[in-house]
Amino acid sequence: MEPMKNCEILLRARYVLTQDATRTVLENAAVAVDHGRIVGVGPSDAMPYDADAVRDLGDAMLLPGLVNAHTHAAMTFLRGVADDLPLLEWLEQKIFPLEASLTADIVRASSLLGFAEMLCTGTTACQDMYLFEGDVLDAARTAGIRCLAGEGVFLFPSASCKDWRQALDLTRERARVLSRDERLAVSVCPHSVYTTDEEILRACRDLSEKEGLRLHIHLAETRDETQRCLASYNERPVERCERLGLLDVPCTLAHVVDVTDDELEVLARHPLATVAHNPSSNMKLGSGSAPVPAMLDRGVAVALGTDGPASNNQLNMFAEMGRAALLHKTNGRPTVTPAQKVLDMATLAGANALGMADAGRIIEGAPADIIALDLNAPNMRPMYNPVSHAVYAATGHETVMTMVNGEILYDRGRFTRFNYADLCAEMDSIRDYVRKKAGLS
Ligand SMILES: [Zn+2]
């Protein structure tokens, strides 16, 4: 008999989807958590731990917290304000004009609402790109979620920065301040190839390399983007990023829908690049379907993201997993993007894309980012295969507990760090302000 060890929390549950190297699923298992880390995983009745607190989740399954690899959390304030339009018309005629009246306070409250939605649907970490990103980070600190956040860098002035140089200065400064933060970090975020120029992209790449920061860009999202890029620079978006060295630093490429086989080969030759697949946004904006099965075949790393809530309109990674698993099957290919691969995208690949190579799994030594899904919901019964239920049956709202860094942030309907009713009241007044700005009232 092993001697008993102490830990802060012992979680017990019917199933544990470990996402370890062999994708082990444990039944009647427990997870020991101490100082923000997982210190033990094993059969519930044979865990040598004397815990300060034992949390028996009963008929539930524990999973690694999901990782949203591409989002704009603050855009909750625009959820449902403009739907059913193509990307460039939606962005340039509806979203950019409304964003011109954005304030830091709106960003802080709207981001907190976004993080609330993520936490209550099982997301423990996200990669965000937006304006006033310092306020997004403030909201992430309030919520307790992990967030890799970057100020959008544009050729033109934004609501938060007078020019691209200021956006990069802010990036550098915030990265210094947060260099030792356990949950928050900063990335370099050129918005896209069609809203920047060569000088900006080179400067972003150089900053990324010099400061050791990850880079995050929208890339090859639509055919229109490719046409603009060809017309302006006589090269396709992926070629442009390759030539300017953006693929040589650790980077996340959001969307990657309009790509040729040659471009997929380029991506496969750049192991520091991860594609963030956003099936809901691509479907909603009519952008098309990213060739995810071909990416996976070539060994391209593919993570999963919701994109912003104005183009989805949810920040729910369970919904996103379901759509990712279904979308690629529509052309008579039911065997592609199987449930386990999709769960890998939402956990392991996402964690890698955020620079957290040891996360996205429930194994000894990993960060204690863990969620619990209630299995009593009608859509979760009967149980044959927990991975299948996580991807195809769950809605995300079966989440009963969300833990980040060993701290429970969402517990059976309650956010432990902030007052949700106050936040809703604040969002109502933001909606009234947006309605006035948009001429809706
Ligand atoms: Zn986006």
Side-chain angles (χ1 to χ4, degrees):
M1 185 82 182
E2 268 186 78
M4 295 295 272
K5 291 174 272 190
N6 183 260
C7 71
E8 288 167 354
I9 305 178
L10 190 69
L11 302 172
R12 296 184 196 277
R14 178 74 192 275
Y15 297 98
V16 177
L17 274 70
T18 65
Q19 289 295 88
D20 67 3
T22 54
R23 305 297 186 268
T24 309
V25 176
L26 300 169
E27 202 168 342
N28 297 320
V31 180
V33 171
D34 199 58
H35 284 89
R37 295 255 155 199
I38 295 166
V39 292
V41 185
S44 207
D45 54 5
M47 284 289 278
Y49 282 93
D50 181 16
D52 300 343
V54 175
R55 185 69 191 271
D56 192 342
L57 290 140
D59 206 359
M61 64 172 157
L62 302 181
L63 291 85
L66 304 184
V67 181
N68 188 340
H70 175 70
T71 192
H72 316 285
M75 291 183 81
T76 54
F77 85 106
L78 294 176
R79 178 168 13 227
V81 82
D83 301 312
D84 311 324
L85 293 168
L87 172 75
L88 292 177
E89 185 182 342
W90 172 82
L91 196 60
E92 289 170 353
Q93 291 176 26
K94 301 288 180 183
I95 300 302
F96 283 167
L98 283 171
E99 285 180 338
S101 55
L102 199 59
T103 66
D105 286 343
I106 293 177
V107 168
R108 201 174 308 118
S110 305
S111 300
L112 188 55
L113 180 67
F115 297 139
E117 185 182 355
M118 290 185 201
L119 291 173
C120 78
T121 54
T123 292
T124 54
C126 66
Q127 175 159 231
D128 194 89
M129 175 201 301
Y130 206 54
L131 312 170
F132 297 101
E133 200 68 26
D135 297 278
V136 176
L137 284 160
D138 279 351
R141 192 184 294 285
T142 301
I145 197 167
R146 288 190 204 274
C147 183
L148 175 61
E151 185 79 30
V153 183
F154 299 88
L155 181 59
F156 39 83
S158 73
S160 53
C161 290
K162 66 180 190 321
D163 59 24
W164 63 268
R165 287 192 170 81
Q166 189 187 3
L168 290 186
D169 287 345
L170 284 173
T171 303
R172 201 179 291 111
E173 178 55 29
R174 286 178 194 144
R176 285 219 177 102
V177 171
L178 294 174
S179 64
R180 287 170 191 279
D181 199 284
E182 278 191 313
R183 303 190 200 183
L184 308 179
V186 167
S187 62
V188 186
C189 289
H191 174 265
S192 63
V193 295
Y194 59 93
T195 49
T196 54
D197 64 12
E198 183 158 335
E199 185 184 17
I200 296 173
L201 291 174
R202 284 188 191 282
C204 287
R205 186 216 174 277
D206 291 348
L207 178 62
S208 165
E209 190 174 53
K210 185 157 169 266
E211 304 287 333
L213 304 176
R214 299 190 60 87
L215 192 141
H216 179 194
I217 186 171
H218 293 96
L219 191 66
E221 183 173 358
T222 61
R223 209 172 287 172
D224 280 352
E225 174 183 335
T226 305
Q227 293 313 316
R228 279 192 193 189
C229 198
L230 282 167
S232 304
Y233 312 116
N234 198 29
E235 59 190 348
R236 297 176 57 90
V238 172
E239 286 175 343
R240 185 164 176 77
C241 283
E242 184 193 23
R243 183 174 62 78
L244 298 175
L246 271 67
L247 307 182
D248 298 323
V249 294
C251 60
T252 298
L253 315 171
H255 301 296
V256 193
V257 171
D258 188 41
V259 279
T260 61
D261 285 350
D262 286 348
E263 287 171 300
L264 291 181
E265 293 297 333
V266 168
L267 295 178
R269 286 199 302 273
H270 290 84
L272 297 180
T274 297
V275 170
H277 177 39
N278 303 268
S280 301
S281 173
N282 296 159
M283 285 193 272
K284 185 173 184 236
L285 294 168
S287 305
S289 169
V292 169
M295 291 174 184
L296 296 172
D297 283 349
R298 287 173 168 81
V300 175
V302 183
L304 201 58
T306 59
D307 209 354
S311 66
N312 183 308
N313 296 355
Q314 306 176 41
L315 295 171
N316 179 339
M317 285 292 290
F318 280 95
E320 213 60 38
M321 284 201 292
R323 289 167 190 168
L326 296 178
L327 172 61
H328 306 285
K329 296 176 166 63
T330 52
N331 294 331
R333 299 180 300 169
T335 56
V336 301
T337 50
Q340 182 64 63
K341 269 267 183 282
V342 173
L343 185 61
D344 292 356
M345 288 161 61
T347 53
L348 300 164
N352 247 332
L354 269 68
M356 309 186 300
D358 58 348
R361 63 205 86 194
I362 299 180
I363 61 170
E364 198 179 320
D369 295 0
I370 301 168
I371 61 171
L373 294 190
D374 180 19
L375 297 179
N376 289 303
N379 55 308
M380 301 298 273
R381 304 188 84 92
M383 174 62 80
Y384 299 104
N385 178 348
V387 174
S388 168
H389 275 16
V391 172
Y392 290 113
T395 65
H397 293 287
E398 301 80 5
T399 304
V400 286
M401 185 214 70
T402 302
M403 171 186 277
V404 174
N405 210 34
E407 179 188 355
I408 295 175
L409 299 176
Y410 177 74
D411 196 1
R412 294 194 185 273
R414 191 176 64 89
F415 297 98
T416 59
R417 283 216 184 181
F418 58 92
N419 185 315
Y420 180 64
D422 289 352
L423 175 61
C424 289
E426 199 174 351
M427 289 311 298
D428 282 349
S429 50
I430 290 172
R431 179 207 51 196
D432 294 344
Y433 169 85
V434 170
R435 283 175 70 89
K436 216 172 272 170
K437 287 281 174 190
L440 295 172
S441 60

